[in-house]
Amino acid sequence: MVSRETSSVFDVRTAADVVATKLPLGDDNSDETTPLAREAEVTVRARFDARTRPTLARPEHTRVMVVANQKGGVGKTTSTVNLAAALAQLGQRVLVIDLDPQGNASTALGVEHRRGTPSTYDAVVDGTSLEEVTTRCPEVDDLWVVPATIDLAGAEIELVSVVARESRLQKAIAAHPRVGTAEEAGEERFDYVLVDCPPSLGLLTLNALVAGEEMLIPIQAEYYALEGLGMLLETVDMVKAHLNPRLVVSTILVTMYDARTRLASGVADEVREHFGDQVLKTTIPRSVRVSEAPSYGQTVMSYDPGSPGALCYLEAAREIATKGVPIR
Ligand code: ADP
Ligand code: MG
């Protein structure tokens, strides 16, 4: 496989870089008298920078990334929608496939997912084309969504008797006219397809692992964080051996990191010891703004672009894009 396609990408300055840099305060318009004033200025500048930032180079072919971890509440959905929005802000065309019957990713991206809405269920169970059930995210340009309805809950059982039941999603994605290389799919191709998995290792997650070439595992920075990962990695090995030899765990993202606790940094160290370079340098802080955004049908990227959560998701997205496709 081709490697590091986008590694030569120019030096993009993100809002996070701006915050990390000591800003040259003290000019006529700035107020350095209080920490609050300084913070406000940092936020304003970060927002301005987010709007004027140059875009990143696009990968040569659609990167299909599966966001999975059978543990619930580790930040799969939050990371899927915010990374998707951040990648779109960085000039990438992104498709999010909601594969969790709860439809939380659909909610956060502001798309309809009532029963009867054309959805992942139709594509995976009935064989409707993915293009037909793809809808535009109203909040973010260059972001598309395949919503999940509660019907998907039945798919785990309905799929059992279906032919080639593990590769339904893979076929659906591969048949999408906007998936592939620049030659196959043209300028309008998706650069990223992110699949948000349910919190289980059933047939739906299996379908995602067969469909993807990269896997992103969010790990919550808390006690027991690594528990259950063994089983997840065994499943990945099984899929690699029998169903999808291209699958690589390319990205680990530490989420809900609380810098004030020693536990969080201990967990992050342990994760890095296990996974090395696969772990993104950027960790996602625990932040109220991140958890509030979905109730407004928004990602934190549009709900509060200058907040630490948004800046860190932007930085994480930049890392993913600049690291490029992993060597196999
Ligand atoms: P999963 O999809 O793995 O079940 P979610 O993304 O739904 O996990 O996150 C679980 C809960 O934690 C949600 O209520 C979400 O709003 C919250 N959450 C996720 N990431 C953060 C964060 N960085 N800061 C604060 N709350 C978060
Ligand atoms: Mg979820």
Side-chain angles (χ1 to χ4, degrees):
M1 284 304 288
V2 193
S3 66
R4 311 278 160 195
E5 295 170 342
T6 55
S7 58
S8 63
V9 169
F10 17 89
D11 186 24
V12 176
R13 214 163 62 112
T14 69
D17 295 334
V18 174
V19 171
T21 314
K22 279 244 178 301
L23 293 171
L25 297 179
D27 52 34
D28 287 348
N29 298 323
S30 71
D31 179 354
E32 44 185 338
T33 50
T34 67
L36 198 62
R38 187 187 163 86
E39 196 155 309
E41 178 154 358
V42 166
T43 302
V44 167
R45 290 197 187 190
R47 285 184 183 172
F48 176 77
D49 197 67
R51 280 198 296 275
T52 55
R53 184 180 320 109
T55 56
L56 285 172
R58 304 173 63 185
E60 278 164 18
H61 69 274
T62 309
R63 291 174 67 180
V64 181
M65 300 186 82
V66 178
V67 183
N69 185 334
Q70 79 276 26
K71 252 193 186 183
V74 298
K76 287 182 291 296
T77 302
T78 306
S79 299
T80 303
V81 300
N82 290 307
L83 287 173
L87 284 164
Q89 282 185 8
L90 290 167
Q92 311 293 302
R93 290 166 176 76
V94 187
L95 172 67
V96 168
I97 299 178
D98 192 347
L99 200 58
D100 186 343
Q102 301 293 326
N104 293 338
S106 311
T107 304
L109 294 172
V111 302
E112 184 64 64
H113 64 105
R114 267 181 301 187
R115 246 197 160 133
T117 308
S119 69
T120 316
Y121 177 88
D122 303 289
V124 172
V125 178
D126 288 342
T128 307
S129 81
L130 203 58
E131 194 183 17
E132 245 176 89
V133 295
T134 300
T135 178
R136 189 179 269 279
C137 170
E139 288 293 327
V140 185
D141 286 343
D142 291 330
L143 182 51
W144 286 262
V145 187
V146 180
T149 65
I150 194 68
D151 297 304
L152 200 56
E156 292 277 5
I157 294 161
E158 288 172 62
L159 280 176
V160 170
S161 57
V162 169
V163 187
R165 60 192 178 192
E166 319 84 8
S167 50
R168 308 280 297 182
L169 184 64
Q170 184 264 321
K171 293 216 169 69
I173 293 176
H176 200 298
R178 295 182 61 184
V179 168
T181 61
E183 257 172 35
E184 293 158 357
E187 274 306 292
E188 288 305 306
R189 72 187 181 278
F190 294 126
D191 299 301
Y192 292 85
V193 175
L194 301 185
V195 185
D196 184 30
C197 289
S200 67
L201 288 177
L203 262 177
L204 286 171
T205 298
L206 192 59
N207 261 270
L209 296 179
V210 172
E213 50 186 3
E214 293 179 59
M215 195 176 165
L216 186 159
I217 306 178
I219 295 182
Q220 187 180 350
E222 56 142 39
Y223 200 55
Y224 293 135
L226 299 177
E227 201 185 56
L229 270 185
M231 197 157 69
L232 182 60
L233 296 176
E234 273 170 34
T235 305
V236 172
D237 285 343
M238 187 276 287
V239 170
K240 271 171 88 154
H242 301 289
L243 297 164
N244 178 14
R246 299 178 314 159
L247 185 66
V248 173
V249 178
S250 64
T251 313
I252 310 278
L253 177 61
V254 178
T255 63
M256 291 181 250
Y257 185 89
D258 187 344
R260 292 166 306 182
T261 68
R262 256 200 282 160
L263 173 67
S265 65
V267 170
D269 289 345
E270 204 177 337
V271 170
R272 281 182 214 289
E273 248 166 59
H274 267 74
F275 293 99
D277 283 350
Q278 291 150 293
V279 188
L280 294 185
K281 292 193 192 82
T282 312
T283 55
I284 307 301
R286 187 177 279 286
S287 142
V288 179
R289 307 303 266 169
V290 170
S291 55
E292 280 173 355
S295 55
Y296 296 90
Q298 287 186 33
T299 67
V300 77
M301 307 310 298
S302 51
Y303 176 63
D304 192 353
S307 66
L311 297 176
C312 288
Y313 271 118
L314 196 59
E315 192 61 26
R318 189 175 76 110
E319 266 193 66
I320 290 170
T322 51
K323 254 171 94 173
V325 180
I327 298 165
R328 290 189 170 75

